[in-house]
Amino acid sequence: MADPLNIDPDHLNPIDKDAVEHEAAPATEVAAGETSEGGSLGLEIGSAVEEPAKVRLPAMLRGKVQKDGSALGTGRRKTAVARVRVRKGTGKITVNGRTFEDFFPVERNRLQIEAPLKALNMFGAVDIDARASGGGVNGQAGAIVLGLARAVQALHPELHGILSDGGYLTRDDRMVERKKYGHKKARRSFQFSKR
């Protein structure tokens, strides 16, 4: 069987041969920005008019701006809840009164929390103070990300598009499935014994 990418014109039916010949023929159409008399319309190739980018604003703000200029945002993930305060500063991050590296020793969690700030080029320009409770370390990291994104959005609503496209404003609604009676866990059955 012949390779489908290498088309041999001898094996084509007459209609397909005409199509191949028309594609190979040089184009004699008028180039964009010129008239048939050879004059110019004022537009050159590649001189498309730039339209200003539309700023996507949020339909609803979930963070609050305080009188002192800081912003508060609440985030949730699994059973963890985090209240995050963002203010202009030097990039200091504290979680429950502890340093960032002390509270989150796993680098994956730290990078996850820094991601929205790096997407906005605000990393190192704001101080973050978070209070996290409930759940485990991964759930608290996810809750801090959502709270941080909501707080930054309250301060700068024009950055909603970047935060939304990155998925930082989306609440991850996955929760642990409840245990059912007659089962060992949510879906795992007890070991079956024939006798």
Side-chain angles (χ1 to χ4, degrees), residues 10-139:
D10 296 333
H11 296 290
L12 297 175
N13 62 26
I15 298 172
D16 290 340
K17 285 182 183 178
D18 292 338
V20 171
E21 289 172 8
H22 287 297
E23 288 177 7
T28 58
E29 297 175 5
V30 178
E34 296 181 2
T35 60
S36 59
E37 290 82 32
S40 178
L41 295 175
L43 290 176
E44 301 295 325
I45 295 176
S47 66
V49 179
E50 297 274 334
E51 292 184 18
K54 292 185 180 179
V55 177
R56 291 178 14 215
L57 294 176
M60 178 172 63
L61 289 174
R62 295 200 174 250
K64 294 180 182 176
V65 179
Q66 303 294 87
K67 292 179 183 177
D68 62 352
S70 64
L72 294 174
T74 302
R76 293 179 181 83
R77 170 80 170 94
K78 295 185 180 178
T79 58
V81 179
R83 291 168 191 84
V84 182
R85 180 184 301 270
V86 177
R87 63 173 65 91
K88 290 183 181 175
T90 59
K92 181 181 169 189
I93 302 174
T94 57
V95 182
N96 290 353
R98 293 160 59 186
T99 62
F100 188 48
E101 291 77 14
D102 183 35
F103 196 86
F104 291 111
V106 180
E107 186 180 11
R108 180 187 68 230
N109 293 333
R110 292 197 302 265
L111 293 175
Q112 181 183 1
I113 293 170
E114 294 168 355
L117 295 175
K118 289 179 179 175
L120 299 171
N121 295 324
M122 293 178 67
F123 186 69
V126 291
D127 288 342
I128 299 165
D129 185 28
R131 287 179 295 144
S133 61
V137 178
N138 290 325

